[in-house]
Amino acid sequence: MNAQTTSPDQAAAATMTAEQAAHFAEVFERLVSGVERVLLGKHHVIRMAFTALLSGGHLLLEDVPGTGKTSLARAIAQSVQGTSNRIQFTPDLLPGDITGVSIYDQRSGAFEFHRGPVFANIVLADEINRASPKTQAALLEVMEEEQITADGVTHPVAEPFMVIATQNPIEQAGTYRLPEAQLDRFIMKTSIGYPDHASTIRILEGAGRRAHAVVVPAVIAAATVVELAALARTVYVDPSINDYVSRLVDATRTSTEVRLGASVRGALALIRTAKTLAAANGRHYVIPDDVKQLAEAVLAHRLLLEPEAEFDGVTPSSIVARILIETPPPGDRQAA
């Protein structure tokens, strides 16, 4: 036991208990196992997606077409008895096509708000970078505040609420780069990628069955997701972990190859997701390895590199990997 750290048992009574952590982990694995029926061989990605959901965040997937992004969003919604909508982003898409529009009702003599597809538990924003910046900006308010303001009237979205956005890393013609303010609102970025050989064989064996025909059994109710997310926020974080995250984020800002480092929102996101991952692993406290596992997914997409660094082949992921090596974590004598 590290004499310089505080034991989770010494934390405030409001923190998660070991029994609650065990229950959280059991439910989490049931959720992941259910979605794995649809997305074969992608255990890690599914865990990341549910970590984002139960951290109250949004997920950005940078992937080539045909890797199961729509299936992932639909399966997550089914597993939590939630609703899901898919928005295909195109250059002619308007903000009102996402959020909804006010239409004049002649019978009542007043404008009536017609809700757009963003009013769902899980919203798949497919090829988000194909829409204009004005249309992309329509998601800024709802992703941060979980509400839409139209004609001065606020309309809250469903709970839980999660945006799963995708962008194609190969075909860049006719696309718009996501602004930093938008990227910062995604709690993590990852990719599904192609399945391995064994998973591909299993997919081919079920070729006669359409992906959307597979129904994932509901594991929990949507309201329970909100409760689990609140429970995850009570996971204990030692001051040394907060110090570690702060040093990691500071290192992204002082790197000579980085023009724009991770924001305070990025640091908060790393702590929030680390809490959820710890609970998903059956622990009621965060350890440095939780932070290390999530650092790339949470921080890399928030970094804006200097042009010279990009020209030299440096990537945000390589920057984060180097910072993890150069930044010493708290001693491994964490409370057990």
Side-chain angles (χ1 to χ4, degrees):
M1 177 82 67
N2 188 351
Q4 297 180 343
T5 60
T6 305
S7 167
D9 296 330
Q10 297 173 324
T15 57
M16 178 185 284
T17 65
E19 292 74 17
Q20 288 173 321
H23 172 70
F24 189 104
E26 186 267 332
V27 175
F28 191 93
E29 284 306 316
R30 284 166 53 202
L31 289 167
V32 172
S33 297
V35 175
E36 278 188 300
R37 296 178 52 185
V38 174
L39 210 62
L40 301 177
K42 295 299 175 181
H43 183 80
H44 175 72
V45 175
I46 298 171
R47 283 180 61 87
M48 289 293 99
F50 276 112
T51 298
L53 174 64
L54 294 173
S55 300
H58 310 286
L59 181 66
L60 178 60
L61 296 175
E62 188 170 81
D63 250 317
V64 296
T67 52
K69 300 180 291 290
T70 304
S71 297
L72 174 63
R74 184 186 300 113
I76 290 175
Q78 290 175 345
S79 65
V80 299
Q81 292 184 337
T83 57
S84 65
N85 282 328
R86 176 180 178 273
I87 307 172
Q88 179 62 55
F89 279 66
T90 57
D92 59 348
L93 191 72
L94 299 175
D97 297 330
I98 299 172
T99 60
V101 294
S102 295
I103 300 177
Y104 184 74
D105 188 341
Q106 292 183 338
R107 290 176 298 180
S108 63
F111 282 92
E112 181 180 343
F113 182 69
H114 290 249
R115 298 188 171 196
V118 77
F119 286 89
N121 295 117
I122 309 295
V123 177
L124 177 65
D126 210 2
E127 295 185 299
I128 188 174
N129 56 335
R130 290 204 174 278
S132 67
K134 181 179 180 180
T135 300
Q136 292 178 15
L139 287 172
L140 290 177
E141 179 188 12
V142 70
M143 289 178 67
E144 182 68 18
E145 303 176 25
E146 299 188 356
Q147 65 181 30
I148 292 293
T149 303
D151 300 324
V153 180
T154 299
H155 305 273
V157 295
E159 287 189 319
F161 174 70
M162 180 186 188
V163 173
I164 300 178
T166 72
Q167 59 181 8
N168 191 330
I170 305 299
E171 187 182 355
Q172 296 299 328
T175 62
Y176 301 84
R177 179 189 177 100
L178 292 181
E180 285 70 34
Q182 182 120 37
L183 286 170
D184 209 25
R185 279 166 167 77
F186 289 100
I187 201 166
M188 65 173 66
K189 174 186 173 184
T190 187
S191 63
I192 297 177
Y194 293 120
D196 57 26
H197 178 72
S199 298
T200 301
I201 296 297
R202 291 174 60 193
I203 292 171
L204 295 177
E205 289 173 348
R209 180 177 56 182
R210 301 292 295 271
H212 65 263
V214 179
V215 177
V216 176
V219 176
I220 55 177
T224 306
V225 175
V226 179
E227 295 172 0
L228 288 174
L231 183 61
R233 292 195 292 271
T234 67
V235 169
Y236 174 75
V237 180
D238 190 88
S240 64
I241 298 293
N242 286 327
D243 175 74
Y244 180 46
V245 169
S246 179
R247 287 186 287 115
L248 288 174
V249 172
D250 285 342
T252 69
R253 300 167 184 164
T254 57
S255 172
T256 58
E257 297 166 310
V258 178
R259 191 190 334 171
L260 180 66
S263 65
V264 175
R265 185 187 281 119
L268 289 169
L270 191 50
I271 289 293
R272 285 164 53 194
T273 52
K275 286 184 173 186
T276 304
L277 185 61
N281 289 329
R283 276 182 282 101
H284 57 294
Y285 54 90
V286 175
I287 61 175
D289 279 351
D290 296 325
V291 176
K292 291 179 180 179
Q293 287 182 45
L294 293 162
E296 179 185 346
V298 173
L299 298 180
H301 67 284
R302 304 173 195 270
L303 307 185
L304 186 61
L305 303 187
E306 294 287 357
E308 296 82 2
E310 290 185 297
F311 182 78
D312 291 338
V314 177
T315 64
S317 294
S318 65
I319 293 288
V320 174
R322 189 188 70 206
I323 288 174
L324 284 172
I325 294 174
E326 297 176 349
T327 306
D332 57 2
R333 295 167 293 175
Q334 192 73 12

